[in-house]
């Protein structure tokens, strides 16, 4: 039977539905039960980007979802393939990235836990995902596919955004269907607006404040509320700190910016001293509160889209709302005051922070981070693994106009490189930077083949310190010596070359030049920096 005569299948209906919902790119990895879905891909207009493991495909989808602000589909198979996505989906859940996971399932006759012995069979595959994603759904007939996918798409986008999971049995994907082709699906989420009386109360409190301050979280960035935040801060003359997930919410060099030194006691004390602290788009979790040492002495106003995070750590005037409409409403409601005092408070705080860092013999670390900043174009996205240089970047890196993302939501290794590959699919003309340690790099090394296959413009900076460097520091500080942190590793430059990816071995002194050259070249590249970096001293202990 020719392709033109082939009847449409459930797999075709999935791809038609995704196209109608606005998808243009999907990530994933095929498997036996999902072949009907992947066969339909060649008959669709969707671009497919395949990675070498399902977890890395999930990280790539996560990054594209973050950069585009809309749903990105992830296509995988049953059982082991589906379960391999769990670490990536946990990161997407923590970072509110709208990933739509679509997996196959065993044939319909085997659903219900009957233990019929199908390949990849789980008693309840959905159960593995319920505690991670926003919603799960098992489709049982082709007629359910368009509505199920539209509902999942809408739920993924509904503030707070996050991953969702839909699974479809093998036979439903393979069997012919008479369901008409999907032409249009509406999955627009309802806006999450603040209640007017809460805006009035919050504006009045901010107007009365003598020492107002703002802590801007990732919710500000996700909502695209940067302009409203800046207007509000300038009207209030209020200093602004950004959480690690909220980097880019407020201009780094603005005179009201106290940047992101949240693991510094001076910053913690500054935020505690505010008589009114506006927390926008943050739950004040472990990292944002200097490991829960933050103890506010004044009033806290919290804007948060996730109802479960409202007042979960501190009592507050709580606004259950998306950051964009809430900050815009507050900016319009508060009274402008003269500039000056807030800027002086911000300047004094940063002087104290910088003096503390300057007294710790950390010149190499600051030189390396400055070299990365100098080499990276202002608007280039960067993705950072859980590595010492990444931890430095949380506090000390100016993202300028480029998106800044790391795996600090769930805290797993191996995020940076596959995420950067996903980000690179959004604009092939713009370079993307990934930063990993040698331990984290080994989680993703197979994706060098993906980078080469698709010619993606990602430069991967690997800081090779011979082990899990941050865990080495933690264990040495806590127990006097480290265990299980030292690693044998490959010659990363030779390994990259074997994939056909250009690689350079550099030094702290040459890093800026070598990295800039790699970022300017087309296609993927690797820069390896052998260096043992140190963290600045913690202040929460």
């Amino acid at each position: 039977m020719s392709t033109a005569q082939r009847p449409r299948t459930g797999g075709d209906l999935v791809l038609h539905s995704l196209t109608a919902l606005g998808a243009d790119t999907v990530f994933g990895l095929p498997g036996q039960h999902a072949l009907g879905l992947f066969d339909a891909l060649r008959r669709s207009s969707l671009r497919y980007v395949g990675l070498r493991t399902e977890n890395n495909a999930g990280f790539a989808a996560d990054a594209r979802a973050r950069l585009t602000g809309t749903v990105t589909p992830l296509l995988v198979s049953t059982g082991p393939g589906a379960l391999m996505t769990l670490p990536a989906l946990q990161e997407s859940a923590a970072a509110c990235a709208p990933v739509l996971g679509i997996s196959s399932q065993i044939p319909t006759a085997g659903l219900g836990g009957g233990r019929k012995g199908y390949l990849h069979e789980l008693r309840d595959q959905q159960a593995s995902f319920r505690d991670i994603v926003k919603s799960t759904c098992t489709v049982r007939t082709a007629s359910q596919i368009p509505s199920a996918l539209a509902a999942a798409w809408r739920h993924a986008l509904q503030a707070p955004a996050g991953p969702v999971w839909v699974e479809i049995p093998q036979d439903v994907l393979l069997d012919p269907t008479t369901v008409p082709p999907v032409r249009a699906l509406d999955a627009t989420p309802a806006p999450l607006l603040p209640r007017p009386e809460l805006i009035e109360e919050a504006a009045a409190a901010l107007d009365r404040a003598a020492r107002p301050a703002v802590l801007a979280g990732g919710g500000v960035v996700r909502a695209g509320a940067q302009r409203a935040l800046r207007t509000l801060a300038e009207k209030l003359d209020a200093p602004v700190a950004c959480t690690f997930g909220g980097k880019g919410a407020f201009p780094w060099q603005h005179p009201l910016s106290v940047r992101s030194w949240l693991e510094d006691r001076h910053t913690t004390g500054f935020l505690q001293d505010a008589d009114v602290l506006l927390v926008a788009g943050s739950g004040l979790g472990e990292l944002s509160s200097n490991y829960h040492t933050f103890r506010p002495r004044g009033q806290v106003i919290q804007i948060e889209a996730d109802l479960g995070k409202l007042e979960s750590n501190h009592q507050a005037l709580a606004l259950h709302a998306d950051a964009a409409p809430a900050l815009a409403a507050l900016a319009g409601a508060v009274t402008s005051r003269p500039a000056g005092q807030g800027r002086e408070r911000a300047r004094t705080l940063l002087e104290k922070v910088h003096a503390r860092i300057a007294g710790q013999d950390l010149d190499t670390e600051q030189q390396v981070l400055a070299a990365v900043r100098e080499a990276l174009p202002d608007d280039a996205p960067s993705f950072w693994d859980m590595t010492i240089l990444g931890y430095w970047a949380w506090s000390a890196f100016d993202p300028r106009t480029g998106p800044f993302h790391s795996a600090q939501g769930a805290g797993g290794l191996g995020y940076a490189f596959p995420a950067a590959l996903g980000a690179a699919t959004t604009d092939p003309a713009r370079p993307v930077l990934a930063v990993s340690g040698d331990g984290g790099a080994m989680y993703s090394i197979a994706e060098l083949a993906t980078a080469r296959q698709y010619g993606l413009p990602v430069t991967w900076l690997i800081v090779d310190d011979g082990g899990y460097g941050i865990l080495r520091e933690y264990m040495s500080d806590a127990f006097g010596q480290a265990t299980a942190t030292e690693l044998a590793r490959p010659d990363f430059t030779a390994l990259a070359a074997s994939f056909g990816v250009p690689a350079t071995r550099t030094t702290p002194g040459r890093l800026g030049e070598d990295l800039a050259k790699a970022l300017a070249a087309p296609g993927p590249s690797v820069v390896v920096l052998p260096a043992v970096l140190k963290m600045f001293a913690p202040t929460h202990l």
Side-chain angles (χ1 to χ4, degrees), residues 298-341:
Q299 181 179 10
V300 176
I301 300 170
Q302 185 183 17
I303 300 169
E304 177 55 57
D306 187 337
L307 193 59
K309 292 181 180 178
L310 273 180
E311 297 191 276
S312 61
N313 286 302
H314 297 282
Q315 184 178 2
L317 172 60
L319 284 72
H320 181 218
D322 195 23
L327 289 172
L330 280 177
V334 298
T335 303
S336 294
R337 63 180 72 184
Q341 185 184 42

Side-chain angles (χ1 to χ4, degrees), residues 86-250:
L86 287 171
L89 292 173
Q90 185 187 3
E91 177 59 37
S92 296
C96 299
V99 173
L100 169 53
I102 302 173
S103 86
S104 55
Q105 249 291 17
I106 59 175
T108 307
L111 297 179
R115 311 301 289 162
K116 294 180 179 294
Y118 287 106
L119 182 70
H120 305 325
E121 182 179 271
L122 294 168
R123 285 193 298 273
D124 186 357
Q125 182 172 283
Q126 278 193 85
S128 298
F129 295 85
R130 289 193 186 105
D131 191 45
I132 294 177
V133 301
K134 293 181 70 177
S135 64
T136 65
C137 172
T138 299
V139 170
R140 293 176 180 267
T141 67
S143 63
Q144 297 174 2
I145 289 173
S147 294
L149 292 179
W153 188 286
R154 180 181 298 108
H155 198 200
L157 286 177
Q158 179 66 52
V164 293
W165 187 258
V166 176
E167 50 189 38
I168 307 171
Q170 178 186 30
D171 52 319
V172 176
L173 291 170
L174 286 170
D175 288 349
T177 178
T178 59
V179 177
V182 179
R183 288 196 294 267
L185 287 171
D186 182 12
T188 305
L192 185 56
L193 303 176
R195 301 207 316 268
E197 71 276 12
L198 293 175
I199 290 293
E200 293 170 8
E201 184 76 14
L206 289 166
D207 279 340
R208 291 192 301 268
R211 298 181 310 282
V214 179
L215 179 61
V220 175
V221 177
R222 289 188 293 273
Q226 291 93 330
R227 180 174 295 181
L229 172 62
R230 180 169 180 169
T231 299
L232 176 62
E234 290 176 345
K235 288 183 73 173
L236 293 172
D237 192 36
V240 179
C242 293
T243 70
F244 304 147
K247 290 178 74 71
F250 196 72

Side-chain angles (χ1 to χ4, degrees), residues 75 83 120 141 194 196 215 253 259 276 323 325 350 385 395 416 480 482 502 514:
L75 312 182
L83 296 178
H120 305 325
T141 67
L215 179 61
Q253 300 291 347
R259 305 180 181 176
V276 178
L350 288 177
D385 230 327
S395 295
D514 289 341

Side-chain angles (χ1 to χ4, degrees), residues 214-468:
V214 179
L215 179 61
V220 175
V221 177
R222 289 188 293 273
Q226 291 93 330
R227 180 174 295 181
L229 172 62
R230 180 169 180 169
T231 299
L232 176 62
E234 290 176 345
K235 288 183 73 173
L236 293 172
D237 192 36
V240 179
C242 293
T243 70
F244 304 147
K247 290 178 74 71
F250 196 72
W252 189 261
Q253 300 291 347
H254 193 286
L256 286 171
S257 173
V258 295
R259 305 180 181 176
S260 298
W261 291 98
L262 297 186
E263 293 187 65
D264 187 284
R265 192 66 209 168
H266 295 303
T267 301
T268 307
F270 180 87
L271 296 175
Q272 287 178 161
D273 187 54
D275 53 354
V276 178
L277 176 65
L278 173 63
V279 180
S282 171
L284 282 172
E286 183 177 51
L287 297 180
S288 301
S289 63
N290 200 359
Y291 299 90
H292 294 299
T293 62
F294 168 69
R295 299 286 185 271
R297 293 188 284 270
Q299 181 179 10
V300 176
I301 300 170
Q302 185 183 17
I303 300 169
E304 177 55 57
D306 187 337
L307 193 59
K309 292 181 180 178
L310 273 180
E311 297 191 276
S312 61
N313 286 302
H314 297 282
Q315 184 178 2
L317 172 60
L319 284 72
H320 181 218
D322 195 23
L327 289 172
L330 280 177
V334 298
T335 303
S336 294
R337 63 180 72 184
Q341 185 184 42
R343 288 158 170 76
E344 179 61 23
R345 290 165 56 216
R347 184 188 63 78
T348 301
L349 169 60
L350 288 177
E351 286 178 351
K352 293 177 180 179
V353 172
H354 294 153
R356 190 179 80 85
I357 298 298
Q360 296 182 42
D361 188 24
L362 297 167
D363 291 345
T364 298
E365 289 74 11
Q366 295 181 79
Q367 175 190 357
V368 167
L369 196 63
V372 174
R373 179 60 279 171
E374 180 184 356
L376 188 67
D378 285 359
D379 65 343
S382 61
F383 292 83
W384 304 73
D385 230 327
M386 303 295 283
T387 186
I388 286 178
L389 189 59
Y391 285 27
W392 267 95
W394 289 354
S395 295
F397 190 77
D398 176 3
R400 297 182 183 165
T401 58
F404 175 100
H405 295 285
S406 75
Q408 58 94 18
L413 276 175
Y415 173 77
F417 188 53
L421 297 179
T425 67
T426 65
D427 182 357
R430 182 170 62 170
V432 181
L433 175 68
V435 180
S436 300
D438 57 292
M442 291 304 294
Y443 278 65
S444 309
I445 204 74
E447 303 308 339
L448 284 169
T450 303
R452 171 47 61 203
Q453 180 173 344
Y454 295 99
L456 296 171
V458 174
T459 294
W460 193 7
L461 172 60
I462 301 174
V463 182
D464 184 358
D465 65 2
Y468 299 123

